[in-house]
Every structure is written in structure tokens, then in C-alpha cells.
Amino acid sequence: MRTKTHIFMACLAAAAPMTSAMAQAAPAAAASATASQTASAPALTLLEAYRLALTQDAIIRTARAGADARRERIPQARSQLLPNIGFQAGANRNNLIRTQPDIAGVPKTTEQFYDSNSRTFILRQPLFRPALWADYRQAKAQVADANASLEKETQNLATRVTGAYMEALLAEDQRALVLQQQTSYRTQLDAAKKRFAGGAGVRTDIDEAQARLDLAIAHLLEANQNVEYTRRQLQVIINQPVTKLAPIDEVKLRQAPQPGSLEDWRERAELTSPELISLKAQRDAARAEYDKALAGHLPTFDGILQWNMSKSDSINTVGTSYNSKSVGVQLNVPIFSGGLTSSQVRQTVADIERAEQALEATRRDLGLRVEKEYRGVTEGTLSIVALETAARSADVMVTSNRRSFEGGARTLLDVLNAEEQRLTALRDLANARYTAVLSRIKLKALAGVADEDAIAEANSWLKP
């Protein structure tokens, strides 16, 4: 019975690495193929990705087209203030049938064919049109809103590109950590099997190490999928395949300059935030709409120049030609419109209040977002330093647990837990680094200064 038990346990020990090897065959082959394809490819830098996104991203191109369309409001509104010149011409072939009594009082019918034509040249110049001037001011405010909205999308593009780039790097780091996990667990599994075969270990150690290794294999599959997905996210923005990225240089990131004081960033955001500029322009447009509605109570005054040439323009002037010229003015006075104008005025007053409150709410929220990203930069730097210390301490703890395990003072479970804690510290450290970079870009985007120079600065923290 003892011999059968030993044979059964040996079969289990032999089957475990075979199962592990089979489970890793596909991911290892895929990783090897990917590595061979990307080894010779140049790494895509953050600055290169941003420049590609400026021309290839569908969202920013849509915003540019929308801004171009809105900019046409100014020439359209200005055209209403300029002279309106028109020319009309017409020619007709007329058939006149006339029935009238003759001298004897007997009705007599005659039929006549004749040609008629007319040409009219009209020039109308608005002299007093308050609504048109209000519309022109509104057009300028709407164009300012369009330009600010485009700038806001440009700032968001810097954030989106940086975020996608950092997510892709984080996914690669997480995959590398899972591979380290597998190597460590496999080493511990082999050691446990040897100790068990030598009579110094227990079966529980083998089972524990095998369970951790199987879980790491499952995590590797998930990590590979996450790497492909995050690269695909970046590819959608830049419209180019992504195979290799430039990694973060930890030393350069640690030497990155501090952003300055929080109050300075708040003041800068108040002045240059595209979001606030857009809302201020919307408020100005609402005020111009109020002026347009109020102008509905006022008279309008136009200058008119007209030149008319006609021939046979009626049945009483057949064969007669006219050539008339006139210069004058036209006054239109609104008297009663059923309450429409008054209702429009009240509506625009409510729209102004809505725009004012939206501006104030965004201003308050912007201050909070600036503070959040500012602390993400300043406290993120402290967090990186703390996590680097934690990672070094975790390395020491792993070494100590391994030696204590070899001396019999610790179990294999203690070693595996120490390994898990070390990898957690490394994962948190990588996440903190990428979050700190992204927070810098977000902070500058809120202030409207996330331009190519800002991306170039972040790009300098990457390894060449």
C-alpha cells in the first residue's frame, strides 16, 4: 500500500509540470512571435504619436471641420449689413381678347397679340437695423465659441494620446510582472518537489505552488489581451499600427521639474482654459440674442435705389415703353405682433441666466479639477519615492523569507506571499509613474497649455 501511494504521488508530481507546460505553450509561442516581429521595429515615442494624432485622429478632424463651418457665420452676418443688389428681367408673349360695343352698341370681339418685357435693378442698403448689428456681434461670439471648442478638443487630444500611451506601457509592465511571477512560482514548485522527493517537504507546498502557478498562467492570458487592447486604443487615435513603445526612464522622471504653486495654476486656468473661454463666448452670444429680440420693438430704416425699364406692362399701355429711376428710403414700424417679441425677450433673458450659471458652475468645478491634477503631480512624485522604497523592502523580504525557508523557520506559503507582495509593490510603482505623467498633461490641458512643447517635455522622460 505504501508503494502504491508513492507511485501515485510521483505521477501527480510529474503531471503537474506537464499541465503547466501545456498551458503555457500557446502564450509563450505568441510572445516569442511578437518579440521577433517587434525587436527590429523602431519604438514609437509619445511625441511621434501626438503628431500623428494631430492629423489622423477622427475626433480632432471633426472638431476642425465644425469650427470651419461655424467661422462662416461672420461673413454671413456681415453680408446683411452691406448693400443688397438685385436685378430682375422678364419677357412675355401676350394674347389679348377684347369684347366691347361698337358705335351702334353691338358687342364686337377683337384679338391682339403683343410682346411685353421688363427689367428692374434694385439696391437696398440697411440704414438702421439694430437686429442685424446684434446678429453680427452674435456671429463673432459663436465663432469665438467654435475656436475655443476646437482648442478644447486639441487639449483633450494631448490627454487622450498620453493616456492611451501610458495605458499601453502599463499593460506591458503588468505582463512582464506576470512573467516574473511565473518564473518565481515555477522555481518554488521545482524546489518543493525536490524537497518532497527528499523527504523534507510536504505535499501541501507542491499544491500551493502549483495553484499559484496556474493562476499566474491565467493572468498571463489576460495580460496579453490587455496589451493588444491598449495598443489598439492608441492605434485608433493615430491611425497607425503600434508594435513597440518607448518605455519610461525612471531616473529622468524622478528629475522632472515641479509644477509650481497651486494658485498659479488656478489663475492660469481662469484666464486660458478653453472650456471657460467657450462658455464665456456662449454667454456673449446669448446676450446678443437678447439684443436681437429687443430690436423687434424698434423700427427699421433702409435706403432704396431702383431703376425700372418696361414695355407694354399692361393692356392699357400696349406698345408704350417706360424708363423710371427712383431713390428713396423705407421705414417699417412694428406695432403689434401678438406678444411674440415680448416672449422672445423673456426667453433670451432666461438663456442669459442659464449661460451665466453654467459658466459659474464650470469655473468652480475647474478649480477642483486643477487641484486634483496638481496633487496628482506633486503627491504622485512622493508616492513614486515611497513605492520605490516599498519595492526595495519587498525584495529584502523575499530574500529573507527564502533563506528562512531553507533554514526551516518559514514555510513555502510565506515565500509565495512575500513574492506576491513584492509584485504588488512593483505593479503599484509602475501605475504611479504613469499616473504622474498623465496628471502633468491633464493639469496643462485644464490650463490650455497642453501643446506640443508639453508633450515634448513628457517625451523626454522616455528612454531613447
Side-chain angles (χ1 to χ4, degrees):
M1 184 69 179
R2 180 181 180 86
T3 304
K4 291 182 179 180
T5 303
H6 279 293
I7 293 174
F8 177 72
M9 299 297 288
C11 290
L12 285 177
M18 291 177 63
T19 304
S20 174
M22 292 174 64
Q24 290 185 72
S32 176
T34 303
S36 62
Q37 292 175 357
T38 60
S40 59
L44 176 70
T45 67
L46 178 60
L47 184 58
E48 292 171 345
Y50 176 72
R51 288 172 175 170
L52 286 170
L54 283 175
T55 58
Q56 299 297 324
D57 181 60
I59 296 178
I60 196 66
R61 293 172 71 173
T62 301
R64 288 196 190 103
D68 290 340
R70 294 289 295 277
R71 291 187 185 109
E72 295 302 320
R73 275 283 289 129
I74 289 181
Q76 291 172 6
R78 186 172 54 239
S79 68
Q80 301 301 309
L81 299 170
L82 300 177
N84 188 341
I85 303 172
F87 176 77
Q88 297 178 353
N92 301 286
R93 177 66 173 173
N94 305 287
N95 181 13
L96 174 62
I97 300 176
R98 179 182 300 172
T99 301
Q100 61 184 7
D102 57 10
I103 298 176
V106 179
K108 184 177 181 181
T109 300
T110 60
E111 184 177 11
Q112 180 181 4
F113 291 89
Y114 68 96
D115 296 326
S116 64
N117 58 74
S118 64
R119 288 161 292 174
T120 304
F121 175 87
I122 301 177
L123 183 148
R124 180 183 293 272
Q125 171 62 57
L127 299 178
F128 182 76
R129 290 284 189 101
L132 297 183
W133 284 102
D135 184 64
Y136 182 62
R137 293 194 301 273
Q138 184 182 52
K140 291 195 291 185
Q142 290 173 342
V143 170
D145 177 26
N147 292 334
S149 297
L150 174 59
E151 181 61 26
K152 178 183 175 182
E153 286 299 333
T154 304
Q155 302 296 313
N156 289 341
L157 178 65
T159 300
R160 289 191 292 114
V161 171
T162 305
Y165 196 97
M166 295 302 141
E167 282 188 18
L169 287 180
L170 179 60
E172 291 182 357
D173 283 357
Q174 288 177 340
R175 180 172 64 179
L177 290 174
V178 172
L179 289 173
Q180 290 182 25
Q181 241 181 355
Q182 283 192 8
T183 301
S184 176
Y185 291 158
R186 189 173 291 106
T187 301
Q188 299 302 325
L189 178 61
D190 293 340
K193 289 177 180 178
K194 290 179 182 179
R195 289 172 63 85
F196 181 76
V202 293
R203 180 65 194 177
T204 305
D205 290 343
I206 297 177
D207 295 339
E208 182 68 30
Q210 185 66 56
R212 296 288 183 99
L213 179 59
D214 293 341
L215 184 60
I217 292 172
H219 287 167
L220 179 60
L221 295 173
E222 182 181 353
N224 285 330
Q225 293 175 357
N226 195 32
V227 167
E228 294 302 321
Y229 176 75
T230 53
R231 288 184 178 181
R232 178 63 178 169
Q233 277 186 316
L234 183 58
Q235 179 179 336
V236 167
I237 298 175
I238 67 175
N239 197 29
Q240 295 287 338
V242 178
T243 58
K244 190 175 181 182
L245 300 174
I248 284 286
D249 190 323
E250 296 84 359
V251 177
K252 292 181 180 179
L253 180 61
R254 199 180 302 118
Q255 298 171 351
Q258 292 302 308
S261 69
L262 176 58
E263 286 304 318
D264 289 342
W265 281 100
R266 280 176 174 168
E267 292 177 2
R268 182 183 300 184
E270 285 274 347
L271 294 175
T272 59
S273 169
E275 193 172 3
L276 289 185
I277 293 175
S278 174
L279 289 173
K280 289 176 183 177
Q282 293 178 24
R283 178 196 59 189
D284 295 341
R287 290 174 176 174
E289 184 66 24
Y290 168 78
D291 294 337
K292 286 171 59 177
L294 197 62
H297 292 300
L298 303 176
T300 60
F301 199 57
D302 296 339
I304 300 175
L305 185 150
Q306 182 170 326
W307 180 14
N308 182 51
M309 293 172 288
S310 62
K311 180 180 179 181
S312 303
D313 58 354
S314 70
I315 61 174
N316 297 320
T317 59
V318 175
T320 304
S321 298
Y322 294 94
N323 189 336
S324 63
K325 300 175 183 178
S326 62
V327 177
V329 293
Q330 185 179 56
L331 175 67
N332 291 316
V333 180
I335 297 177
F336 181 69
S337 60
L340 173 64
T341 303
S342 298
S343 175
Q344 290 173 338
V345 171
R346 293 193 299 270
Q347 181 183 18
T348 55
V349 170
D351 287 337
I352 292 175
E353 178 64 18
R354 177 189 56 81
E356 290 281 4
Q357 295 305 320
L359 175 60
E360 180 61 24
T362 303
R363 180 184 290 112
R364 297 176 185 178
D365 181 63
L366 179 64
L368 289 176
R369 284 181 286 159
V370 168
E371 181 175 356
K372 175 185 176 182
E373 300 305 334
Y374 178 85
R375 297 192 183 283
V377 175
T378 55
E379 296 177 6
T381 303
L382 299 176
S383 178
I384 290 173
V385 175
L387 287 171
E388 287 175 344
T389 303
R392 288 191 295 268
S393 299
D395 286 335
V396 174
M397 184 180 65
V398 169
T399 303
S400 299
N401 274 274
R402 285 178 179 175
R403 291 176 179 176
S404 298
F405 172 66
E406 293 171 358
R410 288 286 188 272
T411 65
L412 180 62
L413 180 60
D414 295 328
V415 177
L416 294 175
N417 288 337
E419 290 279 359
E420 186 75 25
Q421 186 172 345
R422 182 181 73 88
L423 291 173
T424 300
L426 292 175
R427 186 180 300 111
D428 292 343
L429 175 57
N431 186 60
R433 286 169 176 159
Y434 298 131
T435 301
V437 175
L438 182 58
S439 292
R440 287 178 180 270
I441 300 300
K442 285 184 175 180
L443 179 62
K444 294 185 177 183
L446 291 174
V449 292
D451 52 11
E452 187 168 327
D453 291 338
I455 298 297
E457 181 186 29
N459 192 75
S460 67
W461 304 328
L462 303 178
K463 293 180 180 178

